[in-house]
Amino acid sequence: MMKRVAEWWFAPAPAERLAAVRIFVGAFAVMWVGGRLAESYAVAQLGASHWKPIGVTKILAEPLPPGVTLAIAIVTTVLLVAFTLGAAYRFTAPAAAIGILWTLTYRNSYGMVFHTENLLVLHVIALACAPAADAWAIDRRATTQPVAGYGWVLKLMAAITAVTYVLAAIAKLRLAGVAWLDGEQLRNQIAIDNLRKALLGDWIAPLATPFLDHPSGFTIFSVTTIVLELSAPIVFVHPRVARLWCLAAWGFHFGVILLMNIWFLYPLLGLAYLPLLRAERPFAWLIGWWRRRRAGNVPPATTG
Amino acid sequence: MRPNRLFAAIISIVMIAATAEPVLRKPWEDSFPLSPYAMFAYKRPTKLTMDYAFGVTATGERRTLTPRIVGSAEVLQALTVIQRARAKNELPDLCAKIASRVADLDRYADVTEIRIVSGTHDAVDYLVRHIKGPETVRTTCRVTR
């Protein structure tokens, strides 16, 4: 039994697939951390009265000076660029993982824990523990395939994604019980969330108001949500099943935009599901296109 | 890193177990990045009392302010900024900060006053039927340019 599980877990996958996942996830992390430096700095200036440390930031007795917070975020961004490019990966990847864990945890330690970036951090940590720069890296050094291969990291990332969805379903059933399925809880959540947005000057979700006026539809949304979340582990049954589930989960997040104007960008861009897909294909196509283009540019040999 | 199978198995088990660990906590014991993801699980009534700020023009018209003006681009974090200011009796200071930010923005050129209020609204009535609930003014301040 253990042998079969091990064979499945360590089933081979191409180095290019893992490298593609590293590049996509890394590029998103660079934009997520680097593109929000000003916002992180602004939040760090809220001061000790707003400070409520969570996770790794509990080691701090008081918040860091905003300048230090900004410096850490900038260094993290640089490390994430190296992570994405596969530069000195053995050193930069663990440092980038620690950096993004610290920077985003710190950002979440100011009174409001967001749930849009958890998977990103966990996926970067998983990639940092793996030989994800054996292909498509600027200083690729590996000449032999690692003993454990490349497939296990992709399975690990997919398992982490699946666990987070199952946890979300369990939380609903633990707190509200099967009553969550009747749709009223979901409707109330959507109503309250949009009311807060309206009062605080944010955009109201485009379909919130029409659906709030017709509450019967929320029963379908609630049942679909719970089924989708609890069924996440089926992604390991077959690649085709995994792709179908990913499509359904993507649709769920798109629905969250339409009803709550909450953007879970990481899954919406497909990055949460990337370990389940043939992520190397876009890069392989791009490289093939580039090679064909270069070959086409070779001037014809002159004769005579 | 180029772990062997044993080390890779240990990493896998530890990371999956850590991700699943919040199931052992109370659902409201949130953390980051390990969360029970209970954000949409709570029972909520549709009636909500909360504090918020808005601008008022010289003719008495109401102008909604973006969350960034309150202190954060994230709407929920802006909410906590107001909540904490109220808990610490610092609403007048926050109002002054908001007024100074508004004074620098052309699109709020017609706003002459900032009000921070506590309002109680039914979410469905407010959003669908445009029925506002009662509001109590907590503090006001002038926008000086």
Side-chain angles (χ1 to χ4, degrees):
Chain A
M1 177 69 181
M2 283 300 290
K3 195 180 171 190
R4 285 185 67 184
V5 171
E7 278 173 11
W8 168 73
W9 192 255
F10 292 104
E16 288 77 11
R17 185 166 300 167
L18 184 56
V21 171
R22 181 201 86 231
I23 293 167
F24 277 123
V25 171
F28 180 84
V30 169
M31 286 186 280
W32 191 259
V33 177
R36 290 151 46 107
L37 289 174
E39 172 66 12
S40 298
Y41 185 61
V43 170
Q45 286 178 310
L46 288 173
S49 61
H50 294 267
W51 170 252
K52 193 181 172 194
I54 53 166
V56 289
T57 60
K58 281 185 178 172
I59 62 168
L60 295 177
E62 57 185 32
L64 297 168
V68 175
T69 304
L70 180 64
I72 292 172
I74 291 169
V75 170
T76 299
T77 306
V78 173
L79 287 166
L80 285 167
V81 171
F83 171 96
T84 308
L85 298 174
Y89 194 78
R90 270 182 76 178
F91 308 102
T92 58
I98 293 167
I100 195 169
L101 173 66
W102 179 268
T103 302
L104 295 186
T105 308
Y106 195 88
R107 169 78 175 72
N108 278 279
S109 296
Y110 276 91
M112 185 66 219
V113 182
F114 297 97
H115 300 92
T116 47
E117 46 202 21
N118 306 53
L119 257 185
L120 168 65
V121 173
L122 294 170
H123 279 178
V124 169
I125 293 170
L127 284 165
C129 296
D134 278 8
W136 295 339
I138 59 170
D139 62 350
R140 187 166 62 92
R141 289 182 189 173
T143 51
T144 56
Q145 184 165 322
V147 183
Y150 304 105
W152 68 272
V153 199
L154 298 166
K155 284 213 176 66
L156 170 59
M157 293 172 75
I160 289 169
T161 299
V163 167
T164 60
Y165 281 92
V166 173
L167 283 179
I170 291 172
K172 290 178 183 79
L173 296 174
R174 280 176 76 190
L175 279 169
V178 289
W180 202 88
L181 296 171
D182 69 13
E184 192 185 337
Q185 301 299 332
L186 182 60
R187 177 194 182 227
N188 292 1
Q189 286 279 352
I190 289 169
I192 290 291
D193 189 77
N194 279 286
L195 174 63
R196 280 194 302 223
K197 286 187 167 80
L199 295 173
L200 291 165
D202 203 0
W203 294 98
I204 297 175
L207 292 186
T209 310
F211 272 100
L212 287 173
D213 210 16
H214 300 92
S216 55
F218 288 97
T219 308
I220 300 165
F221 292 150
S222 297
V223 173
T224 308
T225 300
I226 291 286
V227 169
L228 181 83
E229 289 176 342
L230 283 177
S231 67
I234 65 166
V235 297
F236 292 114
V237 170
H238 190 276
R240 194 169 293 169
V241 176
R243 286 195 285 275
L244 279 174
W245 184 88
C246 291
L247 189 64
W250 183 88
F252 161 77
H253 286 289
F254 190 69
V256 172
I257 295 176
L258 297 177
L259 289 168
M260 301 181 87
N261 189 22
I262 296 176
W263 293 66
F264 286 86
L265 261 189
Y266 194 67
L268 279 166
L269 291 174
L271 298 166
Y273 319 117
L274 214 51
L276 293 158
L277 308 173
R278 284 170 282 205
E280 73 280 16
R281 281 192 164 186
F283 289 105
W285 180 86
L286 201 65
I287 291 165
W289 173 81
W290 177 250
R291 283 182 181 153
R292 282 193 301 276
R293 192 166 177 269
R294 282 189 68 186
N297 283 346
V298 174
T302 53
T303 53
Chain B
M1 284 171 85
R2 303 177 71 76
N4 59 27
R5 279 193 168 201
L6 177 65
F7 190 38
I10 292 169
I11 292 169
S12 301
I13 291 165
V14 168
M15 282 206 70
I16 293 168
T19 308
E21 176 274 333
V23 81
L24 303 174
R25 298 186 215 147
K26 300 279 187 288
W28 52 88
E29 290 174 357
D30 206 356
S31 189
F32 185 89
L34 305 175
S35 168
Y37 301 98
M39 58 280 194
F40 302 134
Y42 297 100
K43 290 181 182 175
R44 283 183 190 278
T46 53
K47 193 166 269 191
L48 174 73
T49 299
M50 63 177 261
D51 302 325
Y52 47 93
F54 58 86
V56 182
T57 67
T59 55
E61 282 178 59
R62 190 169 167 141
R63 296 285 307 276
T64 307
L65 305 174
T66 61
R68 191 182 291 275
I69 292 171
V70 174
S72 170
E74 300 283 354
V75 68
L76 292 179
Q77 205 143 34
L79 177 59
T80 65
V81 168
I82 300 175
Q83 285 172 336
R84 285 176 191 230
R86 187 181 166 194
K88 291 176 178 290
N89 293 320
E90 292 171 355
L91 280 181
D93 295 341
L94 178 62
C95 190
K97 278 184 194 169
I98 293 170
S100 99
R101 287 171 194 144
V102 164
D104 292 337
L105 296 169
D106 290 342
R107 64 193 154 123
Y108 293 114
D110 57 346
V111 173
T112 56
E113 183 186 310
I114 302 298
R115 279 184 204 162
I116 300 180
V117 302
S118 295
T120 300
H121 307 282
D122 182 274
V124 178
D125 280 347
Y126 188 98
L127 295 166
V128 178
R129 299 175 195 102
H130 308 291
I131 300 170
K132 285 191 172 70
E135 286 177 336
T136 306
V137 177
R138 296 291 171 199
T139 190
T140 63
C141 55
R142 303 292 303 170
V143 178
T144 48
R145 294 183 171 85

mmCIF file of all heavy atoms in Angstrom, chain A residues 129-158:
data_model
loop_
_atom_site.group_PDB
_atom_site.id
_atom_site.type_symbol
_atom_site.label_atom_id
_atom_site.label_comp_id
_atom_site.label_asym_id
_atom_site.label_seq_id
_atom_site.Cartn_x
_atom_site.Cartn_y
_atom_site.Cartn_z
ATOM 1 N N CYS A 129 11.077 24.635 -1.601
ATOM 2 C CA CYS A 129 11.604 23.368 -1.062
ATOM 3 C C CYS A 129 11.945 22.385 -2.189
ATOM 4 O O CYS A 129 12.287 21.231 -1.907
ATOM 5 C CB CYS A 129 10.594 22.713 -0.128
ATOM 6 S SG CYS A 129 10.232 23.654 1.344
ATOM 7 N N ALA A 130 11.816 22.805 -3.420
ATOM 8 C CA ALA A 130 11.899 21.856 -4.540
ATOM 9 C C ALA A 130 12.908 22.311 -5.595
ATOM 10 O O ALA A 130 13.259 23.488 -5.649
ATOM 11 C CB ALA A 130 10.512 21.746 -5.177
ATOM 12 N N PRO A 131 13.341 21.380 -6.437
ATOM 13 C CA PRO A 131 14.268 21.758 -7.517
ATOM 14 C C PRO A 131 13.510 22.374 -8.694
ATOM 15 O O PRO A 131 13.477 21.823 -9.793
ATOM 16 C CB PRO A 131 14.903 20.420 -7.889
ATOM 17 C CG PRO A 131 13.854 19.404 -7.580
ATOM 18 C CD PRO A 131 13.071 19.933 -6.425
ATOM 19 N N ALA A 132 12.904 23.534 -8.444
ATOM 20 C CA ALA A 132 12.018 24.134 -9.455
ATOM 21 C C ALA A 132 12.771 24.974 -10.474
ATOM 22 O O ALA A 132 12.149 25.570 -11.357
ATOM 23 C CB ALA A 132 10.951 24.979 -8.760
ATOM 24 N N ALA A 133 14.098 25.027 -10.348
ATOM 25 C CA ALA A 133 14.879 25.815 -11.320
ATOM 26 C C ALA A 133 15.817 24.919 -12.126
ATOM 27 O O ALA A 133 16.873 25.354 -12.586
ATOM 28 C CB ALA A 133 15.662 26.906 -10.591
ATOM 29 N N ASP A 134 15.420 23.657 -12.306
ATOM 30 C CA ASP A 134 16.230 22.748 -13.129
ATOM 31 C C ASP A 134 15.988 22.983 -14.619
ATOM 32 O O ASP A 134 16.698 22.427 -15.457
ATOM 33 C CB ASP A 134 15.916 21.283 -12.774
ATOM 34 C CG ASP A 134 16.693 20.831 -11.540
ATOM 35 O OD1 ASP A 134 17.336 21.698 -10.909
ATOM 36 O OD2 ASP A 134 16.650 19.633 -11.200
ATOM 37 N N ALA A 135 14.975 23.746 -14.942
ATOM 38 C CA ALA A 135 14.718 24.108 -16.346
ATOM 39 C C ALA A 135 14.288 25.562 -16.386
ATOM 40 O O ALA A 135 13.796 26.101 -15.392
ATOM 41 C CB ALA A 135 13.618 23.224 -16.929
ATOM 42 N N TRP A 136 14.490 26.174 -17.526
ATOM 43 C CA TRP A 136 14.058 27.554 -17.759
ATOM 44 C C TRP A 136 14.478 28.491 -16.623
ATOM 45 O O TRP A 136 13.673 29.266 -16.106
ATOM 46 C CB TRP A 136 12.541 27.604 -17.969
ATOM 47 C CG TRP A 136 12.112 26.885 -19.221
ATOM 48 C CD1 TRP A 136 12.878 26.580 -20.297
ATOM 49 C CD2 TRP A 136 10.810 26.377 -19.517
ATOM 50 N NE1 TRP A 136 12.151 25.915 -21.257
ATOM 51 C CE2 TRP A 136 10.871 25.782 -20.804
ATOM 52 C CE3 TRP A 136 9.594 26.363 -18.833
ATOM 53 C CZ2 TRP A 136 9.776 25.180 -21.403
ATOM 54 C CZ3 TRP A 136 8.500 25.775 -19.428
ATOM 55 C CH2 TRP A 136 8.593 25.187 -20.705
ATOM 56 N N ALA A 137 15.765 28.385 -16.250
ATOM 57 C CA ALA A 137 16.317 29.255 -15.219
ATOM 58 C C ALA A 137 17.584 29.901 -15.777
ATOM 59 O O ALA A 137 18.278 29.287 -16.592
ATOM 60 C CB ALA A 137 16.647 28.451 -13.962
ATOM 61 N N ILE A 138 17.880 31.117 -15.312
ATOM 62 C CA ILE A 138 19.001 31.822 -15.942
ATOM 63 C C ILE A 138 20.367 31.260 -15.540
ATOM 64 O O ILE A 138 21.332 31.488 -16.238
ATOM 65 C CB ILE A 138 18.957 33.348 -15.687
ATOM 66 C CG1 ILE A 138 18.994 33.671 -14.197
ATOM 67 C CG2 ILE A 138 17.756 33.986 -16.350
ATOM 68 C CD1 ILE A 138 19.194 35.159 -13.935
ATOM 69 N N ASP A 139 20.436 30.569 -14.409
ATOM 70 C CA ASP A 139 21.725 29.923 -14.126
ATOM 71 C C ASP A 139 21.503 28.444 -13.769
ATOM 72 O O ASP A 139 21.905 27.967 -12.713
ATOM 73 C CB ASP A 139 22.493 30.658 -13.026
ATOM 74 C CG ASP A 139 21.752 30.668 -11.709
ATOM 75 O OD1 ASP A 139 20.569 30.277 -11.695
ATOM 76 O OD2 ASP A 139 22.356 31.060 -10.695
ATOM 77 N N ARG A 140 20.887 27.762 -14.703
ATOM 78 C CA ARG A 140 20.571 26.341 -14.510
ATOM 79 C C ARG A 140 21.873 25.547 -14.374
ATOM 80 O O ARG A 140 22.757 25.657 -15.216
ATOM 81 C CB ARG A 140 19.768 25.843 -15.714
ATOM 82 C CG ARG A 140 19.228 24.458 -15.590
ATOM 83 C CD ARG A 140 18.189 24.228 -16.656
ATOM 84 N NE ARG A 140 18.756 24.332 -17.994
ATOM 85 C CZ ARG A 140 19.229 23.298 -18.672
ATOM 86 N NH1 ARG A 140 19.200 22.096 -18.145
ATOM 87 N NH2 ARG A 140 19.723 23.460 -19.883
ATOM 88 N N ARG A 141 21.971 24.771 -13.278
ATOM 89 C CA ARG A 141 23.216 24.037 -13.053
ATOM 90 C C ARG A 141 23.014 22.528 -13.020
ATOM 91 O O ARG A 141 23.957 21.778 -13.201
ATOM 92 C CB ARG A 141 23.835 24.467 -11.721
ATOM 93 C CG ARG A 141 24.391 25.873 -11.820
ATOM 94 C CD ARG A 141 25.035 26.295 -10.538
ATOM 95 N NE ARG A 141 25.366 27.721 -10.615
ATOM 96 C CZ ARG A 141 25.813 28.424 -9.604
ATOM 97 N NH1 ARG A 141 25.990 27.849 -8.443
ATOM 98 N NH2 ARG A 141 26.080 29.698 -9.737
ATOM 99 N N ALA A 142 21.805 22.091 -12.747
ATOM 100 C CA ALA A 142 21.577 20.656 -12.570
ATOM 101 C C ALA A 142 21.832 19.902 -13.878
ATOM 102 O O ALA A 142 21.405 20.333 -14.946
ATOM 103 C CB ALA A 142 20.152 20.423 -12.113
ATOM 104 N N THR A 143 22.524 18.823 -13.759
ATOM 105 C CA THR A 143 22.776 18.006 -14.945
ATOM 106 C C THR A 143 22.032 16.677 -14.848
ATOM 107 O O THR A 143 21.792 16.043 -15.860
ATOM 108 C CB THR A 143 24.284 17.722 -15.098
ATOM 109 O OG1 THR A 143 24.758 17.224 -13.851
ATOM 110 C CG2 THR A 143 25.035 18.985 -15.482
ATOM 111 N N THR A 144 21.694 16.282 -13.630
ATOM 112 C CA THR A 144 20.956 15.032 -13.456
ATOM 113 C C THR A 144 19.616 15.306 -12.796
ATOM 114 O O THR A 144 19.471 16.265 -12.031
ATOM 115 C CB THR A 144 21.741 14.059 -12.544
ATOM 116 O OG1 THR A 144 21.999 14.733 -11.312
ATOM 117 C CG2 THR A 144 23.042 13.622 -13.188
ATOM 118 N N GLN A 145 18.649 14.445 -13.098
ATOM 119 C CA GLN A 145 17.324 14.605 -12.494
ATOM 120 C C GLN A 145 17.396 14.235 -11.014
ATOM 121 O O GLN A 145 18.041 13.264 -10.646
ATOM 122 C CB GLN A 145 16.332 13.695 -13.220
ATOM 123 C CG GLN A 145 14.919 13.878 -12.722
ATOM 124 C CD GLN A 145 13.899 13.270 -13.661
ATOM 125 O OE1 GLN A 145 14.050 13.329 -14.861
ATOM 126 N NE2 GLN A 145 12.875 12.674 -13.087
ATOM 127 N N PRO A 146 16.741 15.007 -10.139
ATOM 128 C CA PRO A 146 16.766 14.664 -8.714
ATOM 129 C C PRO A 146 16.075 13.315 -8.462
ATOM 130 O O PRO A 146 15.173 12.933 -9.204
ATOM 131 C CB PRO A 146 16.006 15.810 -8.059
ATOM 132 C CG PRO A 146 15.213 16.429 -9.142
ATOM 133 C CD PRO A 146 15.955 16.214 -10.413
ATOM 134 N N VAL A 147 16.527 12.652 -7.403
ATOM 135 C CA VAL A 147 16.023 11.317 -7.091
ATOM 136 C C VAL A 147 14.496 11.320 -6.923
ATOM 137 O O VAL A 147 13.802 10.423 -7.386
ATOM 138 C CB VAL A 147 16.688 10.792 -5.787
ATOM 139 C CG1 VAL A 147 16.239 9.373 -5.474
ATOM 140 C CG2 VAL A 147 18.197 10.880 -5.892
ATOM 141 N N ALA A 148 13.988 12.351 -6.262
ATOM 142 C CA ALA A 148 12.546 12.410 -5.996
ATOM 143 C C ALA A 148 11.758 12.918 -7.198
ATOM 144 O O ALA A 148 10.524 12.916 -7.171
ATOM 145 C CB ALA A 148 12.288 13.296 -4.777
ATOM 146 N N GLY A 149 12.443 13.380 -8.214
ATOM 147 C CA GLY A 149 11.766 13.874 -9.412
ATOM 148 C C GLY A 149 11.143 15.244 -9.191
ATOM 149 O O GLY A 149 11.485 15.957 -8.231
ATOM 150 N N TYR A 150 10.216 15.592 -10.071
ATOM 151 C CA TYR A 150 9.586 16.916 -10.024
ATOM 152 C C TYR A 150 8.077 16.848 -9.729
ATOM 153 O O TYR A 150 7.478 17.846 -9.367
ATOM 154 C CB TYR A 150 9.796 17.645 -11.359
ATOM 155 C CG TYR A 150 11.246 17.772 -11.746
ATOM 156 C CD1 TYR A 150 11.797 16.969 -12.748
ATOM 157 C CD2 TYR A 150 12.078 18.678 -11.096
ATOM 158 C CE1 TYR A 150 13.130 17.071 -13.096
ATOM 159 C CE2 TYR A 150 13.419 18.784 -11.432
ATOM 160 C CZ TYR A 150 13.937 17.976 -12.436
ATOM 161 O OH TYR A 150 15.260 18.070 -12.772
ATOM 162 N N GLY A 151 7.503 15.663 -9.924
ATOM 163 C CA GLY A 151 6.045 15.541 -9.822
ATOM 164 C C GLY A 151 5.505 15.743 -8.418
ATOM 165 O O GLY A 151 4.393 16.264 -8.251
ATOM 166 N N TRP A 152 6.269 15.362 -7.395
ATOM 167 C CA TRP A 152 5.760 15.423 -6.022
ATOM 168 C C TRP A 152 5.433 16.850 -5.593
ATOM 169 O O TRP A 152 4.473 17.081 -4.860
ATOM 170 C CB TRP A 152 6.743 14.771 -5.040
ATOM 171 C CG TRP A 152 8.035 15.517 -4.869
ATOM 172 C CD1 TRP A 152 9.165 15.386 -5.622
ATOM 173 C CD2 TRP A 152 8.338 16.522 -3.889
ATOM 174 N NE1 TRP A 152 10.144 16.241 -5.191
ATOM 175 C CE2 TRP A 152 9.660 16.952 -4.118
ATOM 176 C CE3 TRP A 152 7.631 17.105 -2.856
ATOM 177 C CZ2 TRP A 152 10.289 17.932 -3.354
ATOM 178 C CZ3 TRP A 152 8.252 18.084 -2.081
ATOM 179 C CH2 TRP A 152 9.559 18.481 -2.331
ATOM 180 N N VAL A 153 6.223 17.811 -6.060
ATOM 181 C CA VAL A 153 5.972 19.206 -5.658
ATOM 182 C C VAL A 153 4.635 19.674 -6.236
ATOM 183 O O VAL A 153 3.865 20.374 -5.575
ATOM 184 C CB VAL A 153 7.068 20.155 -6.186
ATOM 185 C CG1 VAL A 153 7.041 21.447 -5.395
ATOM 186 C CG2 VAL A 153 8.413 19.509 -6.163
ATOM 187 N N LEU A 154 4.391 19.293 -7.484
ATOM 188 C CA LEU A 154 3.123 19.682 -8.119
ATOM 189 C C LEU A 154 1.953 19.049 -7.382
ATOM 190 O O LEU A 154 0.920 19.698 -7.148
ATOM 191 C CB LEU A 154 3.130 19.264 -9.594
ATOM 192 C CG LEU A 154 4.237 19.938 -10.430
ATOM 193 C CD1 LEU A 154 4.407 19.237 -11.765
ATOM 194 C CD2 LEU A 154 3.931 21.412 -10.631
ATOM 195 N N LYS A 155 2.129 17.771 -6.976
ATOM 196 C CA LYS A 155 1.061 17.116 -6.196
ATOM 197 C C LYS A 155 0.882 17.804 -4.845
ATOM 198 O O LYS A 155 -0.238 17.991 -4.374
ATOM 199 C CB LYS A 155 1.388 15.639 -6.005
ATOM 200 C CG LYS A 155 1.150 14.790 -7.240
ATOM 201 C CD LYS A 155 0.707 13.390 -6.875
ATOM 202 C CE LYS A 155 0.381 12.599 -8.128
ATOM 203 N NZ LYS A 155 1.569 12.331 -8.983
ATOM 204 N N LEU A 156 2.003 18.181 -4.237
ATOM 205 C CA LEU A 156 1.930 18.860 -2.939
ATOM 206 C C LEU A 156 1.160 20.176 -3.073
ATOM 207 O O LEU A 156 0.266 20.474 -2.265
ATOM 208 C CB LEU A 156 3.350 19.121 -2.407
ATOM 209 C CG LEU A 156 3.462 20.020 -1.173
ATOM 210 C CD1 LEU A 156 2.694 19.439 0.000
ATOM 211 C CD2 LEU A 156 4.928 20.228 -0.792
ATOM 212 N N MET A 157 1.484 20.945 -4.102
ATOM 213 C CA MET A 157 0.797 22.232 -4.305
ATOM 214 C C MET A 157 -0.696 22.017 -4.566
ATOM 215 O O MET A 157 -1.544 22.751 -4.055
ATOM 216 C CB MET A 157 1.434 23.000 -5.465
ATOM 217 C CG MET A 157 2.862 23.462 -5.163
ATOM 218 S SD MET A 157 3.683 24.151 -6.616
ATOM 219 C CE MET A 157 2.869 25.742 -6.745
ATOM 220 N N ALA A 158 -1.004 20.987 -5.359
ATOM 221 C CA ALA A 158 -2.420 20.682 -5.645
ATOM 222 C C ALA A 158 -3.131 20.242 -4.370
ATOM 223 O O ALA A 158 -4.294 20.620 -4.132
ATOM 224 C CB ALA A 158 -2.511 19.597 -6.712
#
